[in-house]
Amino acid sequence: ENVCMPLYIAGISDKEASARAASLLDRVGLGERLTHKPAELSGGERQRVAIARALVSEPKCVLMDEPTGNLDRQTALEIHVLMKELSISLATSFIVVTHDVALAAAMDRRLSLVAGKLHVEA
């Protein structure tokens, strides 16, 4: 239901919304957790649900603020890899705001804000 919500708001039928959400949850590695409540999911799993919810309406661009901020290093790395895979397979761009140097380094293009000035990094 969490992942279906943007589709419900857009007027998509329950059946189609459920099918699209289930397919996307399977793609992010949560196909076996469809009936679990948020409290029953780990932090990384909850982040994957949030990514699926953001992508279920097939946007061209997703804005993310500290997508790995509350995750351990290994789970953060898994989210990095997932974002890269989904960006390519779904033709979706991610604009990410982060303090995570490793996540920033994994992005195709980096801009940094230093002392109030925007810098383009090579």
Side-chain angles (χ1 to χ4, degrees), residues 14-54:
D14 288 354
K15 183 178 179 179
E16 184 180 344
S18 293
R20 285 172 59 179
S23 174
L24 198 48
L25 284 166
D26 191 48
R27 286 185 79 173
V28 300
L30 294 175
E32 308 251 336
R33 310 277 285 175
L34 293 177
T35 60
H36 288 77
K37 304 287 185 212
E40 299 170 329
L41 302 175
S42 71
E45 289 170 331
R46 280 184 254 160
Q47 193 64 15
R48 288 172 187 266
V49 169
I51 291 169
R53 184 179 54 243

Side-chain angles (χ1 to χ4, degrees), residues 2-121:
N2 188 315
V3 176
C4 289
M5 193 55 62
L7 300 177
Y8 293 154
I9 291 168
I12 305 295
S13 72
D14 288 354
K15 183 178 179 179
E16 184 180 344
S18 293
R20 285 172 59 179
S23 174
L24 198 48
L25 284 166
D26 191 48
R27 286 185 79 173
V28 300
L30 294 175
E32 308 251 336
R33 310 277 285 175
L34 293 177
T35 60
H36 288 77
K37 304 287 185 212
E40 299 170 329
L41 302 175
S42 71
E45 289 170 331
R46 280 184 254 160
Q47 193 64 15
R48 288 172 187 266
V49 169
I51 291 169
R53 184 179 54 243
L55 293 171
V56 75
S57 57
E58 301 174 353
K60 293 293 179 196
C61 181
V62 175
L63 305 177
M64 303 180 92
D65 183 14
E66 296 290 356
T68 59
N70 294 323
L71 303 176
D72 63 77
R73 179 61 28 216
Q74 180 58 39
T75 304
L77 180 60
E78 291 169 8
I79 296 298
H80 296 181
V81 171
L82 175 64
M83 288 169 50
K84 194 76 159 176
E85 290 171 1
L86 292 172
S87 175
I88 293 166
S89 67
L90 299 176
T92 298
S93 295
F94 290 99
I95 297 176
V96 180
V97 176
T98 186
H99 289 92
D100 183 336
V101 176
L103 176 58
M107 298 294 114
D108 294 328
R109 183 171 179 215
R110 288 165 300 287
L111 305 171
S112 59
L113 188 61
V114 179
K117 299 205 187 247
L118 192 61
H119 298 273
V120 177
E121 297 180 23

